[in-house]
């Protein structure tokens, strides 16, 4: 289970972030720190980092898609 603030839930909906990305960050949250980490999870590439005690998703895209 993942608990999200209203703000976080709205951002996920606004930016069309797949819920699986949240699940992936939750899975690796123990090894996250303030340095962004790029990893693959269920066909997505996710960049995430810790901000204090909070895990933050910086970017998400599907594998094979071009990034800017």
């Amino acid at each position: 289970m993942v608990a999200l603030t209203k703000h976080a839930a709205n951002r996920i909906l606004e930016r069309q972030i797949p819920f699986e990305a949240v699940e992936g960050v939750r899975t690796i949250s123990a090894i996250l720190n303030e340095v962004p980490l790029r990893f693959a999870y269920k066909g997505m590439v996710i960049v995430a980092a810790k901000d204090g005690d909070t895990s933050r998703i910086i970017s998400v895209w599907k594998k094979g898609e071009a990034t800017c």
Side-chain angles (χ1 to χ4, degrees):
M1 185 171 124
V2 176
L4 299 172
T5 63
K6 274 188 188 179
H7 177 72
N10 284 334
R11 297 286 282 208
I12 286 171
L13 292 173
E14 284 173 0
R15 296 180 180 196
Q16 299 176 342
I17 297 171
F19 186 75
E20 289 84 7
V22 176
E23 183 181 293
V25 171
R26 181 176 163 255
T27 302
I28 64 140
S29 65
I31 64 169
L32 285 177
N33 58 38
E34 55 279 339
V35 177
L37 176 66
R38 179 178 173 172
F39 65 98
Y41 184 80
K42 291 188 177 180
M44 296 174 287
V45 177
I46 304 168
V47 179
K50 280 275 193 189
D51 183 14
D53 291 335
T54 306
S55 299
R56 295 199 179 269
I57 296 173
I58 297 169
S59 186
V60 178
W61 64 92
K62 291 182 182 174
K63 280 188 179 179
E65 286 185 0
T67 59
C68 298

